Amino acid sequence: MGPRRILYFTAEDHYVYRAQGGSLELEAKFTGDDLGVTAFREHLRGQRRALYAVLADLAGEDFHEEAIPYLRGADRDAVIQRRLAQRYRDTRLATALSLGQALAGERRNERLLLTSFTNTQQLAPWLDALEEAGTRLSGVYSVPLLAPALAARLGVKRERALIVAATRAGLRQCFVDQNRLRFARLERTVEMVPQALAMFVRSETQRLLQYLVTLRALPREGAPVQALVICPPGQRAVFEQALPSDSRVVFRTIDMAEAAKAVGLKRAPEGTAAEALYLHLTARKPPAEQFASREERRRFFVWQLQRGIVAAGALGFAGCALYGAAQWLAVIDTREQAAAARAAARQAQQQYERITAAFPVTQTSTENLRVTVVEFTRLARESALPEPAFVHVSQVLGKFPQMDLDALTWSIGRPAEAPAEKGKPARQGDLAVIVQISGRVNATQRNDYRAITGQVQSFAAALASAGYQLVRTQLPFDVTSEGTLSGDIGTGPDTGQAPRFTITIANSLP
Amino acid sequence: MRFTRDELKRLLLPVLIAAVLAGAGVFLLESAGEALAAAERELAAAQTERRQHAERLARIAEEEREVKQKLDVYQRLRELHILGEEQRLEWADAVTRIRKERELLDLRYRVDRQQQLFSATGKPANVDFYASRMSVDLALLHEEDLLRFLSDLRDSGNAFYSVRRCAVERTGQAATGVSIAPRLRASCEIDLITIMDRAAKS
């Protein structure tokens, strides 16, 4: 951050301080007359676009409390300007400080502290010089306007307090209530010994308290008011001795060096008094309320806007850069994970190759080897030899010598292709060995239907063993209710032809 | 608040700087986003590769056991020439030899055109199964002749012989003491199955 210059304005002399990095440096001193203004103009030559603030430490500063209707925006501004114009003849350096809201019956009001200098003309040529030099005026402040900020830095909470300090201009007393300025006065001092200054502080504090009670800014009866006295360096003991507390006021003293440390002031020029604290606050933490008009601060506003735009761009870039950096960290992490995964894949591949290298030599790929054997095994399972069926039929025939076979057909197929025996459904769909046997029944009279049927059924039952199932039996005579039964008993000659039958059995393939 | 021309000029450079900074920030974000997307794609591919290799490695023990188990069958199929091109001349020779050795009275056969049974998906090439249907008519003195013929045929190799149907019936001829007359006739249908492994090394 670049240096800021503060024009410290007293009734007699005016000083230009250069504030940078917590240090104050006296740059120039000017007399309060026309010669001083001329010298100031000369001083400003070559300081175009320098940052300036004005800190007035004058006795003639008016404070007046007003209440206005609670408003916002342009309406509030208009009311305030009207009140300022009613109160002050010259409103160039007049401002209103909000003291908060107050209820007046049904209506809500805002309490204001109107303040201005009784003689603004003494400031005008100096402000004009700043304007003409093209400097950037951040604001015109008075010491009382900075008192709440100083009080807060020195540990004063929200209670009522008097901030008392000796500046180049005199003894400055500021009354702060709820961290808001209520009143201030400046009493001129002459060179005096510490004891005398302390006694003067005591008497002036008593007078101010009396005045504030008169103004009803303080209750007549109530808790004692704290008076925080900033003592010149090394004189705190003297002040403590001279400032005993009583029922109306509690004095608290603080050494100037300690106060400087509390506000962050690292270095101040020789000869500066408590105004150094106010100067430092003007440079580092100026309050929003000040006396300069919008037009007088226009260059400063444009400068702020310039910095704000660049700062917004920089902030955006920083945000993007931060997010981008996080993204890049994720990229690095993801790439590392990918590299690790690839390494693991390579390792698995190498291990696989080592194992497969030790495999027995095959003339084909592992997959084709598997497919060939699996499919061939399936085909082989669906195949069979006729021999077991022939043996089975032969063994059963040995038990039925009256049966004479004409034909035997062995095949592989599905039993469903042949009609199933009633009450014995064949397993549909499975491949099976199907044996169809055609033959004749000998040694039984042809017209003995019952005997022939019984023998064929016994034969079929014998065949349906050893894993074979009966699929179909075609008897020599149709004895079912659906068929036609005919007979020619004892009248015709015997043809000698034995009754024929057909039996089909099946054995499922494994 | 209205800005003068001079003030607007003063604001131009900060606006440009802010725009450049914002543009650089957006570029940074986009490039980071693209890099991250590429890295994520790379990671997904690497993870897939790792998973596939790991799964293959996990299967290797089973594969090894399977190869050892199936290799014997495969070798046997090769030795029997079931794997490879059809050997029709060998089949004809085998039938002639069996007829002669078994002194079969009458034997007629016909082998139909080869047909593909199915094609099994393999890697790197398919395995095709073919069948040629052989129809055989035999005159038999005894049913044992048929069983011996089928057994000899099976032992001759050069195909897998899958008997589909065999019908045996009496000829009705009575035995005489002068000449040997067949008592039975058999007709069979046999699939001669061969396998073509397109990935097999010759």
Side-chain angles (χ1 to χ4, degrees), chain B residues 146-166:
Chain B
L146 173 64
L147 300 177
R148 286 194 197 107
F149 170 77
L150 293 175
S151 175
D152 290 350
L153 195 63
R154 193 181 176 109
D155 292 343
S156 70
N158 296 312
F160 174 71
Y161 299 89
S162 174
V163 183
R164 307 315 297 174
R165 183 177 172 279
C166 264

Side-chain angles (χ1 to χ4, degrees), chain B residues 118-139:
Chain B
F118 60 89
S119 182
T121 308
K123 196 178 175 182
N126 285 1
V127 180
D128 299 326
F129 287 74
Y130 293 98
S132 296
R133 180 149 292 188
M134 174 189 259
S135 303
V136 188
D137 282 315
L138 288 144

Side-chain angles (χ1 to χ4, degrees), chain A residues 23-53:
Chain A
S23 296
L24 277 177
E25 193 183 310
L26 181 62
E27 207 171 71
K29 181 183 174 186
F30 306 97
T31 54
D33 52 14
D34 289 347
L35 283 174
V37 174
T38 310
F40 183 56
R41 285 181 197 279
E42 197 62 33
H43 177 77
L44 289 176
R45 202 181 298 274
Q47 287 195 2
R48 188 175 165 79
R49 293 183 185 170
L51 272 178
Y52 262 88

